Structures are given as structure tokens and as C-alpha cells.
């Protein structure tokens, strides 16, 4: 294998990581990666990890230091991981055998995740809180977990350190919404003593630990006014749970229009699209003022309900999902996830677009239910659609429907078998009738107003 260094430049320092190249092909055109099995996918979905990260009042994050290099390759397999090396040009070239899991190999992610799974299987019964965090609140080497109190968080931290140590791993880059939890671990943050890291990046999102909110940092707002520039902005806007869906959908709809015009990648934009693109760029910096609450609730809950909305127009389809929690007689509502999709180039009728939006909502629902399952118990799921036609289709046996509609109805019923599909008007009337003698206060995050 050939190998090279990858530089990672931060504001304060520069780090280098060695990356090996198992994609190098031999004289027969084969590479090591071609001969390795990738293994089944064992890692958690990023969106699910972030959702679970929002379900505990006290947040704790850390990562497994040099995770791949802590895992020893079986002696029988080391013969496949050889490199050439010499310390200076005057020395003869020597062939070395790599004994640890390497960056870049097809099998490495599976080996790393399977090792953590095996560690949980063998030692997790002694550290139940840490075992839960490694099983459901970890993406590869990043651990995003939390607790209901500071005391519980300190115990969680102790268990994580002990469990990972049992497997030969070390934890670093500790952060928390309660700085007292990591006060004695400042050295692991690689910061000068007496300083606390305020804003950290967790799975691509910026988390302001003191305010305990997610924020966005917009970089490079000088993209050229071309199809390539618009696509670059969409690709660089990281929004895994759809918190910026109104913004990203606008960009995607502009790109679709450019596609229909069959412009080349670097052709100038038409005047009408150019005007919209200029307006978007002038307001792009406002995204940095958004603050999305990291914690969804901070007290013991009596019931939790997922409430989703779906809608469509000639431009596209959209779905959004909220988690409504009742705690101490109050309702708290927070945006959990959203998803948009531009209308297909082959024209669909409005009812079919509405059905497509309902499909989007059902997919959001099943992924969110799975994400919440390890940490909270959901009492109900309500999906609101303002199309009576779609509601009629969903409540009709699929064999009675046309193929296009039947396939999507089956998908909706499979994704959300226990969800209650209602019209918004009916739902609001029933809620008002139920709460007519009780004064309820709804606390809504800024994005939900």
C-alpha cells in the first residue's frame, strides 16, 4: 500500500493524519479494497444520534482517541497490510507489516464498530449506562450522550472511561452543557488549563455548550452565479435533520429550473434566477443568528406525542415532525426533523404530490420512532394532511387502488402502522374540545413560531 499524510488545519494548530491507500491497483488492475469485504453496516444513523442527543437535559460528548489504531489486526491477516518505508533517502527501502486497523481500507469501519459492539457484549453488564451510550448514542468514534442530572452524568462519565479502558481505548475531547462535569478533564480537551471550550463541532453541527444550542456557521458566501455555484452552496449547507429545510428547498428548486434550461455548469444565470440568487446571498449570513435548542425537555414527562405535518405544491413536497411533551401540566413543542423534495420533472397532479409528501412524513416518523425508542416511550403518533383525497387513499385497502397510489399507500402503512392520520381541522377541534376546561401553555422554540 502507498500512504500519505492528510493535514487538518484548525484555528489554533495543524494536525497530520496518515492515510493508507488500499485502492492502489496492481498490474492486473486489482486493489486490496477490491478483495476486502466491507461487512454489514453497524454504525448508527447520524440523524438518529443527534435526535437522541436532544433527549437528555445534561449533555456529554467525547470521542475515542485514535480508535482505529487501538484495534489489533489478527496475525493471519497482517500480511495483506504491508508498506514500504525508510527514514531518509540514504537508507534502503524496507517492507513493514501493519499490525493495527488502518484508515482507508474497506473493512476498517466494520472492524472498528464490531470491536466496540464486542466490548459492550463482554463488559457492558458492569457498566449499563455506558453500554447504552455506546450502543445507541455513538457514531463511529464520536459519543453524544447525556443524563437527567449532574450526578447521573458524572456516573455516566465514570462508566464510559472504565468500559472503554477495558478494551484498551482512551477518551478525549470532552464537552458538556454543565462544565462542572468535565472540569477535571480539561487536559483531554487539549486546551490551556483554566479555559473551557464553548463551541464544539458534533457530527457536523456546531454546539454552543454554554447556551446549549445548535448554531450554523456559513462560510464562503462568494460562490459564482452559475449552476455550479448553486450546487456548491447546497452541498456545503449541512442540515442532516432538516432544520434549514425552507432555505435548502429554495436552492433545490432553483437548481431544478436550471436543469430544465439545460445550462452548462459555468454559464451565467438567467436574469430572473439571478435576482433570486442575489437576494439569497444577501441574507445568507442571517442563518448564523439561528439558535436551535439542543435539549427538548428538562423535567420528567408524563406523555410524549409525535405530531407531523405534510403538504405539497407544484414546486415540491415537504414534511415536518414535532415532538410534543407534557410535563408538570405544561406542553412543550420542539421541531425534531423535516424533509423536502422538489416535484419530479414528470408532472404529477396535486393529489399525487400530496401523497408523496405523506410518504416523506411516514419515513420521518419511522426513523424518529426508532431514534426515540431507547430513551423515551412515545404514547401516540399523529400525522396531519390537509388533503381529503390522500386521507381517503390511506384508509382504502391498497388492492382497490391504482398501482402508483397503491405502492405509496402500502409504504405509508408499513412505515406508520399505528399512526393516526387526520386532517388539521379535525385534529384542532378535538384538541380544543379535550382541553376546554384547562389552561395550557405551549412553549415553542424560535423555529416553530
Amino acid at each position: 500500500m502507498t500512504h500519505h499524510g492528510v493535514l487538518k488545519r484548525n484555528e489554533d494548530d495543524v494536525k497530520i493524519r496518515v492515510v493508507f491507500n488500499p485502492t492502489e491497483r496492481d498490474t492486473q488492475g486489482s486493489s486490496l479494497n477490491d478483495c476486502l469485504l466491507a461487512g454489514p453496516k453497524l454504525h448508527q444513523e447520524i440523524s438518529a444520534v443527534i435526535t437522541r442527543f436532544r433527549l437528555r437535559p445534561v449533555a456529554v460528548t467525547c470521542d475515542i482517541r485514535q480508535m482505529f489504531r487501538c484495534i489489533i489486526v489478527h496475525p493471519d491477516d497482517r500480511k495483506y497490510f504491508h508498506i514500504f518505508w525508510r527514514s531518509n533517502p540514504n537508507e534502503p527501502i524496507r517492507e513493514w507489516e501493519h499490525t493495527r486497523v488502518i484508515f482507508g481500507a474497506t473493512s476498517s469501519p466494520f472492524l472498528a464498530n464490531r470491536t466496540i459492539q464486542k466490548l459492550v457484549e463482554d463488559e457492558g453488564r458492569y457498566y449499563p449506562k455506558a453500554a447504552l451510550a455506546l450502543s445507541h448514542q455513538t457514531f463511529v468514534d464520536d459519543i453524544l450522550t447525556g443524563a437527567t442530572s449532574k450526578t447521573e452524568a458524572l456516573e455516566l462519565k465514570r462508566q464510559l472511561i472504565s468500559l472503554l479502558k477495558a478494551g484498551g481505548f482512551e477518551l478525549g475531547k470532552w464537552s458538556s452543557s454543565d462544565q462542572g462535569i468535565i472540569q477535571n478533564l480539561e487536559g483531554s480537551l487539549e486546551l490551556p488549563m483554566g479555559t473551557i471550550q464553548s463551541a464544539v463541532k458534533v457530527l457536523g453541527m456546531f454546539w454552543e455548550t454554554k447556551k446549549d444550542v445548535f448554531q450554523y456557521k456559513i462560510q464562503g458566501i462568494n460562490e459564482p452565479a452559475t449552476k455550479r455555484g448553486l450546487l456548491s452552496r447546497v452541498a456545503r449547507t449541512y442540515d442532516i435533520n432538516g432544520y434549514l429545510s425552507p432555505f435548502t428547498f429554495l436552492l433545490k428548486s432553483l437548481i431544478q429550473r436550471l436543469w430544465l434550461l439545460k445550462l452548462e455548469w459555468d454559464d451565467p444565470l438567467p436574469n430572473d434566477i439571478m435576482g433570486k440568487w442575489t437576494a439569497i446571498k444577501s441574507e445568507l449570513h442571517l442563518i448564523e443568528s439561528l439558535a436551535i435548542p439542543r435539549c427538548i425537555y428538562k423535567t420528567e414527562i408524563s406523555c410524549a406525542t409525535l405530531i407531523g405535518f405534510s403538504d405539497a405544491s407544484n414546486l415540491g413536497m415537504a414534511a415536518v415532525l414535532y415532538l410534543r411533551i407534557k410535563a408538570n401540566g405544561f406542553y412543550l413543542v420542539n421541531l425534531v426533523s423535516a424533509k423536502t423534495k422538489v416535484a419530479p420533472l414528470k408532472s404529477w397532479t396535486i393529489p399525487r404530490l400530496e401523497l408523496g409528501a405523506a410518504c416523506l412524513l411516514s419515513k420521518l416518523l419511522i426513523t424518529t420512532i426508532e431514534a426515540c425508542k431507547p430513551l423515551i416511550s412515545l404514547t401516540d403518533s399523529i400525522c396531519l394532511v390537509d388533503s381529503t383525497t390522500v386521507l381517503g387513499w390511506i384508509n382504502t385497502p391498497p388492492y382497490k387502488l391504482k398501482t402508483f397510489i397503491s405502492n405509496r399507500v402500502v409504504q405509508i402503512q408499513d412505515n406508520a402502522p399505528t399512526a393516526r392520520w387526520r386532517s388539521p381541522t379535525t385534529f384542532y377541534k378535538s384538541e380544543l374540545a379535550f382541553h376546554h376546561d384547562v389552561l395550557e401553555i405551549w412553549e415553542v422554540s424560535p423555529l416553530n413560531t
Side-chain angles (χ1 to χ4, degrees):
M1 296 180 297
T2 58
H3 60 281
H4 61 278
V6 174
L7 288 175
K8 185 177 181 181
R9 301 181 184 274
N10 295 324
E11 295 179 358
D12 302 324
D13 60 351
V14 178
K15 295 182 180 180
I16 187 169
R17 184 181 71 183
V18 180
V19 176
F20 300 89
N21 187 16
T23 62
E24 195 83 26
R25 299 194 177 277
D26 60 15
T27 54
Q28 283 78 38
S30 298
S31 70
L32 176 59
N33 272 353
D34 293 335
C35 305
L36 290 173
L37 290 176
K41 188 187 77 170
L42 298 180
H43 61 77
Q44 299 288 314
E45 295 293 338
I46 294 180
S47 59
V49 174
I50 291 177
T51 298
R52 292 172 189 144
F53 185 49
R54 302 182 66 194
L55 297 178
R56 287 292 181 264
V58 183
V60 179
T61 68
C62 57
D63 75 352
I64 303 173
R65 283 179 167 176
Q66 299 182 343
M67 182 182 185
F68 284 13
R69 294 180 179 273
C70 294
I71 302 172
I72 299 174
V73 176
H74 193 279
D76 293 346
D77 298 323
R78 295 175 188 171
K79 59 187 176 183
Y80 301 109
F81 297 102
H82 282 207
I83 61 171
F84 292 122
W85 177 259
R86 61 182 178 185
S87 299
N88 64 71
N90 298 322
E91 291 185 359
I93 295 176
R94 301 175 64 185
E95 187 172 348
W96 291 79
E97 188 175 77
H98 214 286
T99 62
R100 305 296 176 111
V101 173
I102 64 169
F103 293 100
T106 298
S107 57
S108 293
F110 165 77
L111 294 174
N113 285 295
R114 184 65 187 97
T115 301
I116 297 298
Q117 278 192 0
K118 182 61 175 173
L119 177 61
V120 171
E121 292 171 7
D122 292 346
E123 306 291 338
R125 62 185 181 275
Y126 304 116
Y127 312 100
K129 295 182 185 297
L132 176 66
L134 291 180
S135 299
H136 299 287
Q137 297 171 284
T138 301
F139 181 78
V140 189
D141 61 343
D142 292 310
I143 303 172
L144 279 67
T145 183
T148 56
S149 65
K150 182 176 180 178
T151 302
E152 185 181 334
L154 288 169
E155 174 62 16
L156 172 62
K157 180 190 71 175
R158 184 195 68 80
Q159 289 193 18
L160 280 171
I161 293 173
S162 300
L163 178 55
L164 270 300
K165 187 177 181 180
F169 297 98
E170 292 184 3
L171 295 173
K173 296 183 180 178
W174 290 88
S175 296
S176 176
S177 56
D178 187 331
Q179 301 299 337
I181 295 170
I182 58 171
Q183 198 69 38
N184 60 338
L185 294 171
E186 287 180 337
S188 66
L189 291 169
E190 301 175 4
L191 295 171
M193 294 300 292
T195 61
I196 295 292
Q197 194 170 15
S198 175
V200 296
K201 198 171 184 180
V202 290
L203 299 184
M205 298 191 68
F206 287 92
W207 174 39
E208 175 62 48
T209 58
K210 290 183 179 179
K211 298 178 181 178
D212 201 13
V213 296
F214 291 128
Q215 293 183 316
Y216 290 89
K217 294 186 183 298
I218 301 299
Q219 299 177 348
I221 58 175
N222 296 317
E223 290 94 344
T226 61
K227 184 166 71 172
R228 190 188 304 276
L230 263 71
L231 193 60
S232 173
R233 171 46 56 191
V234 172
R236 295 171 66 182
T237 305
Y238 182 81
D239 187 34
I240 191 68
N241 276 0
Y243 304 135
L244 299 180
S245 288
F247 166 70
T248 56
F249 177 76
L250 180 59
L251 288 181
K252 287 189 287 188
S253 63
L254 290 180
I255 290 174
Q256 186 183 55
R257 288 183 60 187
L258 292 176
W259 220 270
L260 290 172
L261 294 173
K262 298 182 179 179
L263 295 179
E264 296 296 329
W265 285 106
D266 296 311
D267 287 347
L269 300 179
N271 291 334
D272 59 334
I273 298 180
M274 182 65 182
K276 293 182 179 180
W277 174 232
T278 303
I280 290 172
K281 290 179 66 176
S282 67
E283 298 178 355
L284 198 57
H285 67 280
L286 297 176
I287 292 177
E288 294 188 344
S289 64
L290 282 176
I292 302 168
R294 194 277 314 167
C295 180
I296 289 180
Y297 66 94
K298 295 186 178 182
T299 58
E300 188 173 347
I301 63 175
S302 55
C303 67
T305 304
L306 284 173
I307 302 178
F309 299 81
S310 68
D311 205 354
S313 71
N314 288 324
L315 285 178
M317 300 159 278
V320 62
L321 200 60
Y322 295 88
L323 180 61
R324 186 182 73 175
I325 288 174
K326 188 175 183 180
N328 298 328
F330 295 92
Y331 279 120
L332 298 99
V333 182
N334 273 275
L335 175 68
V336 177
S337 59
K339 192 173 183 63
T340 62
K341 189 175 182 180
V342 293
L345 297 179
K346 184 179 179 181
S347 180
W348 286 8
T349 61
I350 291 296
R352 289 192 172 194
L353 288 168
E354 294 272 9
L355 183 62
C359 277
L360 282 182
L361 180 55
S362 71
K363 293 175 183 177
L364 281 182
L365 192 65
I366 188 173
T367 55
T368 304
I369 289 175
E370 289 299 316
C372 294
K373 191 178 293 183
L375 300 181
I376 64 173
S377 178
L378 296 170
T379 54
D380 199 4
S381 300
I382 301 171
C383 300
L384 305 179
V385 182
D386 62 2
S387 170
T388 55
T389 303
V390 171
L391 290 174
W393 285 337
I394 293 174
N395 293 314
T396 301
Y399 71 88
K400 294 183 177 181
L401 303 170
K402 294 182 179 179
T403 303
F404 178 95
I405 299 167
S406 174
N407 290 340
R408 284 155 181 80
V409 169
V410 168
Q411 188 176 9
I412 290 171
Q413 293 174 348
D414 288 344
N415 290 339
T418 61
R420 293 190 290 149
W421 291 84
R422 312 278 294 279
S423 71
T425 304
T426 304
F427 172 70
Y428 296 148
K429 286 181 179 179
S430 63
E431 288 291 294
L432 289 173
F434 182 74
H435 300 300
H436 72 280
D437 58 343
V438 180
L439 176 62
E440 303 287 357
I441 299 177
W442 292 66
E443 293 188 7
V444 185
S445 65
L447 277 182
N448 303 341
T449 55

